[in-house]
Amino acid sequence: MRRSSLVLRVLVVAYVGALLALPLGFVFQQAFSHGWVQLWAALHDHAMDLAIVLTAKVAILAVPLNVLFGVGVSLWIVRRPSRVSRVLDVVIDVPLALSPIIVGLVLELAYAQNGWFGSAFAAMGLRVMFSYPAIVLASVFVSLPLVSRQVIPLLREVGDHQEQTAATLGAKPTRIFFTITMRSIAWAAAYGVTLTLARVIGEYGAVLIVSGNIALITQTLTLNIGANFDNFNSYQGFVGALLLALVSVLVLTVIGVSRHRLERKRHGSFV
Amino acid sequence: MRFSVRKWPQILAFGAVAATVVATITVPASGANTTTVNVVGYSVVGPALTAEETAFEATPAGQNVTFKNSIGASGTEATNVANGLPADVINLSYWNDMELDVQANHVPANWAKQEATIAGVNPRIFGAKAVTTYPTAGMVTDSTVVFIVRKGNPLGITNWSQLTGSGVQIVTPNPATSGSAKWNLLGAYAAWIATKHTANQAQNFLKSVLEHTVAQPTSGSAALSTFLAGTGNVLLDYEDDALAAQKAGDAIQVVVPPQTILIENPLALTNTGLQNPAAVAFYKYLFSVPGQQIFAGLGYRSVLKSVWNQTKSTFAAFQKPTDLLTVVNLSGYGWPTIQPEFFGSTVTFPKNNSTHPSEGIVTYLEQFVGKAS
Amino acid sequence: MRPLDDPRTYLAKGVAIGYLSLLVLIPMAALLNNAFSHGLGVFWSAATSTESLDALKLTVACSLFAALFNAAAGTATAYVLVRDRFLGRGVLNAIIDLPFALPTVVAGVTFYTLYGPHSPFHLNITGTWVGITVAIMFVTLPFSVRAVQPVLESLTIDAEDAAATLGASPWRVFRTVTLPAILPSLLTGTGLAFARALGEYGSVVFISNNLPYHSEVSSSYVYSLVSQGNDSGAAAVALFLLVGALAVLITTNVVARRLALRRG
């Protein structure tokens, strides 16, 4: 088991500490600045609770959608390269390069009731903009390439010998996919999921515009935090921020621990 | 942890379907027999509107009324309403944002008349005439542009001319993105006009103010946060926002300059709001004595004479009526001319003057921002 | 190559394209339409106004610096996370995605307090390009780390060990064995980080103090155009930025693919 030099380790910890741990520590400090009792009361703030539920509802839909799409499109791009797949490769990165204001503007242009597509939906009696579907749309939009960008390099690196072998042995495509392909990209996909989840629950700018920011109805947790900061309620804002940070850390810890356990069971020790 | 990978597609598919069904069919249940009023407001007035709604719900007209609030940057809210955000009552930062929704056919063109015809407020007298249209009608609250300085006022700032002294660092929002910033800059201009300067001199002063600006955050509240975090030594803001910040315990002091501009914020019932009796009742409430008293308690200058007379002792007074200018004083038509003259994106110069534009003044002067530091 | 050509793959491809259209292609078409709705002249003047160019120069410079710095720092971080075992490694791994989860408004306030006029470290980087770059580094670190991490994890260290026993220094081992393996994903990760940095708004706009022509970033300039009702001007500048970002993304993707093909 090789170890990197102590110097490198110290440098990395210092950099990540200064850049990430300090802000996290600040959020902690602010959220606990009035003690545990106040924190507990703040967590039961009506507006924030509704926001938490809405954020969860958005994540439940947006994250699986992105995983399905991400894994599927990655397989397409790597295993069945074609002109179409090359264009796809570029197109799925587009959302990431857009600033959130533009994301909001563009979705509003297309889906507001007087927009391109929105008028068609309005005629059918469906409201897209300024409601739950718009938030899901914006969330999926901003996190579109996050899963595939994790999975594609790994698929390329790993190659498809195992799948081909299995095929010659007579296994069906579905079986190959689930037993071999999924296993090899499982952890890359898992990181993609954590990135997507973090991005979805943490998105502010685009959701601010497309949701209409209707208090208690279309305010996700990030919007609730923003509103609290605007109303001289920064303590409440930091409590919400702490919640978001903890969710992201928790998900990653769960993945790290379960992975450690699985690897230990499989190999006896992590190589 | 053992699970059969064979069942994955089924589990995934079931999960996705279940999630979609659950997520989309759970609509927030509205109580039986409640009417919904959709209120849209600019960011600063948010807490005041919430207070008004709570008080209104206690009145007989407000029984079984549910409010849905969308509060945010004035321009963004106006654009959203134009794009279909449900709105019955709209309170925006300044006239142009309201006009955006008039042009999008969501607000009637004669919205300013609602103050007299619906709320029954006696029209303001202008000169010899009673006026029921913009630019003197349709405003539900007044305020002024003030300075926020550090507690104790270490630099001793008491009027506009000191803002361009050496070492003074001004924080004001970006006029392109903030209604508050537009009022702030008009306040500077108005102060110079009120002290008998020419238009050119007033423009020079504006240029000086911008040169001493060290931060132009995108919104009024971002500007307040920036100031509270230690940047700059004077912040320009709405009086009501400043008083609220002071009340919230921030280490600041509010200084009302001797001359400034009167901030007037428009309120209107939309086309859908006019069909909604609860919305109409709420509109009336905002202009009524109890409604205006709530505004006054939160730092707004009331537009009703009776309430203003009751509460004016809590506000800084001006020596002469001409020390507090309105947009109409700056230009007879108010915002329709002020907007292109100051904030239009095209800069035009009169024939024999290539340094003082007649249109797009602030757009032109923005290139000098921060030059003094 | 997937062995049997399944009719279901065509259905899947169709669904993917439909999903992509609804999500990306239609809004992008709306963007294009809006950007050119007032003609090429307005498009060009909006995209090349002095304020736009000043913002662009600042944004590109800071984004480039941050992306490149994080390419190195992110690789080092991923390396330590994957190859090393020390107390707190799990914690380090768990906070890498924090910049994604933390809303930009919170990041903005936090950075301003930590590295502004009231900084406990007496370090005031607000209103400077350093402040903007640090905010961008915060936002783009997850890209660099997570891009390299899965590949590093899948690499066996036999080759590295072999090189080491043959007497190569750790740095040489890294340069000749590890780096070529992770280079493709590092490239795409850095390209992605750069593209993201170009559009970053919330966390950057606060710490920059947002002075037009001086410390205003392109995304803030776009927001000011939208707020003034100049949708087509905003769309024009956004398109400009997008084309630049796409150029970088396509280049890094193509180079990464060539490198990967050559290796495998």
Short mmCIF file of all heavy atoms in Angstrom, two decimals, chain A residues 43-78:
data_model
loop_
_atom_site.label_atom_id
_atom_site.label_comp_id
_atom_site.label_asym_id
_atom_site.label_seq_id
_atom_site.Cartn_x
_atom_site.Cartn_y
_atom_site.Cartn_z
N LEU A 43 -35.44 24.75 12.97
CA LEU A 43 -35.67 23.66 12.04
C LEU A 43 -37.16 23.37 11.88
O LEU A 43 -37.57 22.69 10.95
CB LEU A 43 -34.96 22.39 12.52
CG LEU A 43 -33.45 22.38 12.29
CD1 LEU A 43 -32.81 21.19 12.99
CD2 LEU A 43 -33.14 22.31 10.81
N HIS A 44 -37.97 23.87 12.81
CA HIS A 44 -39.40 23.64 12.71
C HIS A 44 -40.14 24.84 12.15
O HIS A 44 -41.36 24.88 12.17
CB HIS A 44 -39.97 23.28 14.08
CG HIS A 44 -39.59 21.89 14.50
ND1 HIS A 44 -38.39 21.61 15.10
CD2 HIS A 44 -40.22 20.71 14.37
CE1 HIS A 44 -38.31 20.31 15.34
NE2 HIS A 44 -39.41 19.75 14.91
N ASP A 45 -39.40 25.79 11.62
CA ASP A 45 -40.01 26.94 10.99
C ASP A 45 -40.90 26.46 9.84
O ASP A 45 -40.48 25.68 8.99
CB ASP A 45 -38.93 27.89 10.48
CG ASP A 45 -39.49 29.03 9.70
OD1 ASP A 45 -40.16 29.89 10.32
OD2 ASP A 45 -39.30 29.08 8.48
N HIS A 46 -42.14 26.93 9.83
CA HIS A 46 -43.13 26.42 8.88
C HIS A 46 -42.67 26.57 7.43
O HIS A 46 -42.74 25.61 6.65
CB HIS A 46 -44.45 27.17 9.10
CG HIS A 46 -45.56 26.70 8.22
ND1 HIS A 46 -45.95 25.37 8.14
CD2 HIS A 46 -46.37 27.35 7.37
CE1 HIS A 46 -46.93 25.25 7.29
NE2 HIS A 46 -47.21 26.44 6.79
N ALA A 47 -42.20 27.77 7.09
CA ALA A 47 -41.78 28.01 5.71
C ALA A 47 -40.64 27.08 5.33
O ALA A 47 -40.62 26.54 4.22
CB ALA A 47 -41.37 29.47 5.54
N MET A 48 -39.69 26.89 6.25
CA MET A 48 -38.55 26.04 5.92
C MET A 48 -38.98 24.59 5.78
O MET A 48 -38.49 23.88 4.90
CB MET A 48 -37.46 26.17 6.99
CG MET A 48 -36.19 25.49 6.56
SD MET A 48 -34.75 26.06 7.42
CE MET A 48 -34.62 24.82 8.63
N ASP A 49 -39.91 24.14 6.63
CA ASP A 49 -40.35 22.76 6.51
C ASP A 49 -41.01 22.49 5.17
O ASP A 49 -40.78 21.47 4.53
CB ASP A 49 -41.31 22.41 7.66
CG ASP A 49 -40.58 22.29 8.98
OD1 ASP A 49 -39.34 22.18 8.95
OD2 ASP A 49 -41.25 22.29 10.02
N LEU A 50 -41.87 23.42 4.73
CA LEU A 50 -42.49 23.27 3.42
C LEU A 50 -41.42 23.26 2.33
O LEU A 50 -41.52 22.51 1.35
CB LEU A 50 -43.49 24.40 3.17
CG LEU A 50 -44.79 24.30 3.94
CD1 LEU A 50 -45.65 25.53 3.69
CD2 LEU A 50 -45.57 23.06 3.54
N ALA A 51 -40.41 24.11 2.51
CA ALA A 51 -39.34 24.17 1.51
C ALA A 51 -38.58 22.86 1.46
O ALA A 51 -38.22 22.38 0.38
CB ALA A 51 -38.40 25.33 1.85
N ILE A 52 -38.34 22.27 2.62
CA ILE A 52 -37.61 20.99 2.66
C ILE A 52 -38.41 19.93 1.91
O ILE A 52 -37.85 19.16 1.11
CB ILE A 52 -37.38 20.55 4.12
CG1 ILE A 52 -36.39 21.50 4.80
CG2 ILE A 52 -36.85 19.14 4.18
CD1 ILE A 52 -36.26 21.27 6.29
N VAL A 53 -39.73 19.89 2.17
CA VAL A 53 -40.56 18.89 1.50
C VAL A 53 -40.51 19.09 -0.01
O VAL A 53 -40.36 18.14 -0.78
CB VAL A 53 -42.02 18.97 2.01
CG1 VAL A 53 -42.93 18.13 1.15
CG2 VAL A 53 -42.10 18.53 3.45
N LEU A 54 -40.61 20.34 -0.45
CA LEU A 54 -40.58 20.61 -1.89
C LEU A 54 -39.24 20.19 -2.49
O LEU A 54 -39.20 19.56 -3.54
CB LEU A 54 -40.83 22.10 -2.15
CG LEU A 54 -40.84 22.50 -3.62
CD1 LEU A 54 -41.98 21.80 -4.35
CD2 LEU A 54 -40.96 24.00 -3.78
N THR A 55 -38.15 20.54 -1.82
CA THR A 55 -36.83 20.15 -2.32
C THR A 55 -36.73 18.64 -2.44
O THR A 55 -36.21 18.11 -3.42
CB THR A 55 -35.73 20.68 -1.39
OG1 THR A 55 -35.91 22.08 -1.22
CG2 THR A 55 -34.36 20.42 -1.96
N ALA A 56 -37.25 17.93 -1.43
CA ALA A 56 -37.19 16.47 -1.47
C ALA A 56 -38.01 15.95 -2.66
O ALA A 56 -37.57 15.05 -3.38
CB ALA A 56 -37.73 15.89 -0.16
N LYS A 57 -39.19 16.53 -2.88
CA LYS A 57 -40.03 16.09 -3.99
C LYS A 57 -39.33 16.32 -5.33
O LYS A 57 -39.43 15.51 -6.24
CB LYS A 57 -41.37 16.83 -3.97
CG LYS A 57 -42.38 16.16 -3.05
CD LYS A 57 -43.54 17.04 -2.64
CE LYS A 57 -44.38 17.54 -3.79
NZ LYS A 57 -45.67 18.09 -3.29
N VAL A 58 -38.62 17.44 -5.42
CA VAL A 58 -37.89 17.72 -6.66
C VAL A 58 -36.77 16.72 -6.85
O VAL A 58 -36.58 16.16 -7.93
CB VAL A 58 -37.34 19.16 -6.64
CG1 VAL A 58 -36.41 19.38 -7.82
CG2 VAL A 58 -38.47 20.17 -6.68
N ALA A 59 -36.03 16.45 -5.77
CA ALA A 59 -34.89 15.55 -5.88
C ALA A 59 -35.33 14.13 -6.23
O ALA A 59 -34.69 13.45 -7.03
CB ALA A 59 -34.10 15.56 -4.57
N ILE A 60 -36.45 13.69 -5.65
CA ILE A 60 -36.94 12.33 -5.90
C ILE A 60 -37.19 12.10 -7.38
O ILE A 60 -37.01 11.00 -7.89
CB ILE A 60 -38.25 12.08 -5.10
CG1 ILE A 60 -37.92 11.71 -3.67
CG2 ILE A 60 -39.07 10.98 -5.72
CD1 ILE A 60 -39.13 11.44 -2.82
N LEU A 61 -37.62 13.15 -8.08
CA LEU A 61 -37.89 12.99 -9.50
C LEU A 61 -36.65 13.29 -10.33
O LEU A 61 -36.31 12.56 -11.27
CB LEU A 61 -39.02 13.94 -9.89
CG LEU A 61 -39.69 13.64 -11.22
CD1 LEU A 61 -40.16 12.21 -11.28
CD2 LEU A 61 -40.85 14.59 -11.45
N ALA A 62 -35.96 14.37 -9.97
CA ALA A 62 -34.87 14.84 -10.83
C ALA A 62 -33.67 13.90 -10.82
O ALA A 62 -33.06 13.65 -11.86
CB ALA A 62 -34.44 16.24 -10.41
N VAL A 63 -33.31 13.38 -9.66
CA VAL A 63 -32.09 12.56 -9.60
C VAL A 63 -32.22 11.24 -10.37
O VAL A 63 -31.38 10.93 -11.21
CB VAL A 63 -31.66 12.34 -8.13
CG1 VAL A 63 -30.49 11.39 -8.06
CG2 VAL A 63 -31.32 13.66 -7.47
N PRO A 64 -33.28 10.46 -10.14
CA PRO A 64 -33.40 9.23 -10.94
C PRO A 64 -33.49 9.50 -12.43
O PRO A 64 -32.91 8.77 -13.23
CB PRO A 64 -34.71 8.60 -10.43
CG PRO A 64 -34.92 9.17 -9.09
CD PRO A 64 -34.37 10.55 -9.14
N LEU A 65 -34.19 10.58 -12.82
CA LEU A 65 -34.27 10.92 -14.24
C LEU A 65 -32.87 11.11 -14.80
O LEU A 65 -32.54 10.61 -15.88
CB LEU A 65 -35.08 12.21 -14.43
CG LEU A 65 -36.58 12.07 -14.55
CD1 LEU A 65 -37.22 13.45 -14.62
CD2 LEU A 65 -36.96 11.26 -15.78
N ASN A 66 -32.06 11.85 -14.07
CA ASN A 66 -30.72 12.12 -14.56
C ASN A 66 -29.84 10.89 -14.59
O ASN A 66 -29.00 10.74 -15.46
CB ASN A 66 -30.06 13.20 -13.69
CG ASN A 66 -29.83 14.45 -14.49
OD1 ASN A 66 -30.28 14.54 -15.62
ND2 ASN A 66 -29.13 15.39 -13.92
N VAL A 67 -30.04 10.00 -13.63
CA VAL A 67 -29.24 8.77 -13.60
C VAL A 67 -29.60 7.90 -14.80
O VAL A 67 -28.73 7.42 -15.53
CB VAL A 67 -29.46 8.00 -12.29
CG1 VAL A 67 -28.78 6.66 -12.34
CG2 VAL A 67 -28.94 8.80 -11.13
N LEU A 68 -30.89 7.73 -15.01
CA LEU A 68 -31.34 6.92 -16.14
C LEU A 68 -30.78 7.47 -17.44
O LEU A 68 -30.16 6.77 -18.23
CB LEU A 68 -32.88 6.94 -16.22
CG LEU A 68 -33.59 5.96 -15.30
CD1 LEU A 68 -35.07 6.28 -15.25
CD2 LEU A 68 -33.37 4.55 -15.80
N PHE A 69 -30.99 8.77 -17.62
CA PHE A 69 -30.51 9.40 -18.85
C PHE A 69 -28.99 9.35 -18.93
O PHE A 69 -28.43 9.00 -19.97
CB PHE A 69 -30.98 10.86 -18.88
CG PHE A 69 -30.47 11.61 -20.06
CD1 PHE A 69 -31.02 11.42 -21.31
CD2 PHE A 69 -29.42 12.49 -19.92
CE1 PHE A 69 -30.53 12.10 -22.41
CE2 PHE A 69 -28.93 13.18 -21.02
CZ PHE A 69 -29.48 12.98 -22.26
N GLY A 70 -28.33 9.67 -17.82
CA GLY A 70 -26.86 9.75 -17.81
C GLY A 70 -26.22 8.43 -18.16
O GLY A 70 -25.32 8.37 -19.01
N VAL A 71 -26.66 7.37 -17.51
CA VAL A 71 -26.06 6.06 -17.78
C VAL A 71 -26.36 5.63 -19.21
O VAL A 71 -25.48 5.18 -19.96
CB VAL A 71 -26.57 5.01 -16.77
CG1 VAL A 71 -26.12 3.63 -17.18
CG2 VAL A 71 -26.07 5.34 -15.38
N GLY A 72 -27.62 5.81 -19.63
CA GLY A 72 -28.00 5.42 -20.98
C GLY A 72 -27.19 6.14 -22.04
O GLY A 72 -26.63 5.53 -22.96
N VAL A 73 -27.07 7.46 -21.88
CA VAL A 73 -26.38 8.25 -22.89
C VAL A 73 -24.88 7.94 -22.89
O VAL A 73 -24.23 7.96 -23.94
CB VAL A 73 -26.69 9.75 -22.67
CG1 VAL A 73 -25.47 10.53 -22.33
CG2 VAL A 73 -27.37 10.33 -23.87
N SER A 74 -24.33 7.63 -21.71
CA SER A 74 -22.91 7.28 -21.64
C SER A 74 -22.64 6.01 -22.41
O SER A 74 -21.66 5.92 -23.16
CB SER A 74 -22.47 7.10 -20.19
OG SER A 74 -22.84 8.21 -19.43
N LEU A 75 -23.50 5.02 -22.21
CA LEU A 75 -23.33 3.78 -22.95
C LEU A 75 -23.41 4.03 -24.45
O LEU A 75 -22.62 3.50 -25.23
CB LEU A 75 -24.40 2.76 -22.53
CG LEU A 75 -24.16 2.11 -21.18
CD1 LEU A 75 -25.39 1.36 -20.74
CD2 LEU A 75 -22.97 1.17 -21.27
N TRP A 76 -24.36 4.86 -24.83
CA TRP A 76 -24.52 5.17 -26.24
C TRP A 76 -23.25 5.80 -26.80
O TRP A 76 -22.71 5.36 -27.81
CB TRP A 76 -25.71 6.12 -26.40
CG TRP A 76 -26.05 6.48 -27.80
CD1 TRP A 76 -25.35 6.18 -28.94
CD2 TRP A 76 -27.20 7.19 -28.22
NE1 TRP A 76 -25.98 6.68 -30.03
CE2 TRP A 76 -27.12 7.31 -29.62
CE3 TRP A 76 -28.28 7.76 -27.54
CZ2 TRP A 76 -28.09 7.96 -30.35
CZ3 TRP A 76 -29.24 8.41 -28.27
CH2 TRP A 76 -29.15 8.51 -29.67
N ILE A 77 -22.73 6.82 -26.06
CA ILE A 77 -21.58 7.56 -26.57
C ILE A 77 -20.34 6.69 -26.64
O ILE A 77 -19.55 6.78 -27.58
CB ILE A 77 -21.31 8.80 -25.68
CG1 ILE A 77 -22.42 9.83 -25.88
CG2 ILE A 77 -19.97 9.42 -26.01
CD1 ILE A 77 -22.31 11.02 -24.98
N VAL A 78 -20.16 5.82 -25.66
CA VAL A 78 -18.90 5.06 -25.62
C VAL A 78 -18.99 3.76 -26.41
O VAL A 78 -18.09 3.42 -27.16
CB VAL A 78 -18.50 4.76 -24.16
CG1 VAL A 78 -17.25 3.92 -24.11
CG2 VAL A 78 -18.30 6.06 -23.39
#
